[in-house]
Amino acid sequence: MPKATMSNQLFPVPSPRTHFLRWTLGSLLLLLIWDFSSLDLVMAHWFGSTNGFALESHWLWRNLLHDDVRLWPWVLELYLLVGMFLPLGSLKRLPMVRRVQLALTTLVALLIVSTIKLYSHTSCPWDLQDFGGVATHVSHWAWGIRDGGTGGCFPAGHASAGFAFMGGFFAFRHVLPHTARRWLAGAMLAGFVFGLAQQVRGAHYMSHTLWTAWLCWTVAAGVDAAVSQLIARNLSRAPAPAPGF
């Protein structure tokens, strides 16, 4: 028996689904550790003081990296929706079902983050008494407990403008692995840059950005698993070709 075969039998290579599940659960564990580390407030004090956040209205963080890019994720989402039927560029290499997956994943991720924010009682750092506001710091795990501020600050909505497009990695990985990795790198870079911009301005804690990244990744992985299972089921039901054809 070849050595490679024996090695695979003793140490079976995990399936892609198992691999992504490990990444999802492992990152969740690290995220929970961050949540209970109190590092959110430590990082907030890097940029803010009792006089507020000095860079809150800075042209780079507020105008260029916030106000000027707010509509771009929805423009790109519209492109993906149209691309389901009129694909351009690399979208042409994706089968119809994967183009639908990409557009659906991005839209669902954006809507989930926005919906959670809508019902969140967590206020932004700039609302805290530590930074000249009126709220007290309350963990976003303390459901139902208000901190005295305006709330609606968890998770990081602006960061989802980048992270939501991680769905491109899952859609493209089946046919164009290099393109998939570029989508992942671009979505992660944009998400963390947008998250940092809001962190500097006092609009979010780091955990808000990390949770947005995890939520968008989980949505993308879940939709990919469902679509892949649907494709496999349809292939198994397809009639076998007649002999001689």
Side-chain angles (χ1 to χ4, degrees):
M1 182 180 294
K3 291 183 179 180
T5 304
M6 292 180 62
S7 175
N8 289 340
Q9 288 181 347
L10 293 175
F11 305 100
V13 177
S15 66
R17 188 176 301 178
T18 301
H19 182 70
F20 291 133
L21 180 60
R22 290 177 179 175
W23 270 99
T24 303
L25 295 178
S27 58
L28 175 61
L29 177 60
L30 293 176
L31 186 47
L32 292 174
I33 292 174
W34 177 278
D35 262 354
F36 290 100
S37 68
S38 299
L39 288 175
D40 268 349
L41 279 176
V42 173
M43 288 193 67
H45 280 282
W46 290 357
F47 307 104
S49 67
T50 54
N51 295 320
F53 289 82
L55 298 176
E56 178 182 344
S57 299
H58 190 276
W59 69 267
L60 173 62
W61 308 109
R62 178 176 180 175
N63 298 104
L64 184 62
L65 293 176
H66 186 264
D67 295 351
D68 293 346
V69 300
R70 294 181 70 174
L71 291 179
W72 280 108
W74 297 106
V75 172
L76 183 53
E77 175 60 20
L78 179 61
Y79 163 75
L80 295 178
L81 290 171
V82 174
M84 291 190 300
F85 308 100
L86 298 172
L88 297 173
S90 57
L91 289 181
K92 292 181 178 180
R93 302 283 299 277
L94 285 178
M96 176 67 170
V97 66
R98 295 298 181 184
R99 297 200 298 269
V100 173
Q101 172 188 333
L102 175 52
L104 177 64
T105 297
T106 306
L107 183 61
V108 170
L110 288 169
L111 291 177
I112 284 179
V113 172
S114 298
T115 301
I116 295 175
K117 276 179 62 67
L118 184 63
Y119 294 100
S120 170
H121 291 161
T122 300
S123 297
C124 303
W126 57 33
D127 289 325
L128 262 62
Q129 296 173 7
D130 290 18
F131 307 109
V134 296
T136 56
H137 182 263
V138 176
S139 170
H140 44 254
W141 287 102
W143 298 334
I145 301 177
R146 296 187 176 273
D147 55 22
T150 57
C153 198
F154 173 83
H158 191 55
S160 69
F163 292 135
F165 294 93
M166 285 194 287
F169 166 74
F170 289 92
F172 279 105
R173 73 181 182 88
H174 303 278
V175 291
L176 296 172
H178 292 293
T179 301
R181 287 192 286 270
R182 287 196 292 269
W183 270 80
L184 181 60
M188 293 290 287
L189 177 61
F192 277 112
V193 168
F194 295 155
L196 175 63
Q198 293 296 80
Q199 172 92 31
V200 169
R201 298 180 60 234
H204 283 294
Y205 299 106
M206 177 53 66
S207 66
H208 296 186
T209 297
L210 297 176
W211 273 108
T212 296
W214 187 85
L215 286 169
C216 291
W217 167 273
T218 304
V219 167
V223 173
D224 180 66
V227 171
S228 297
Q229 186 174 3
L230 178 63
I231 293 174
R233 185 180 302 171
N234 289 339
L235 288 176
S236 65
R237 292 178 178 174
F245 289 90

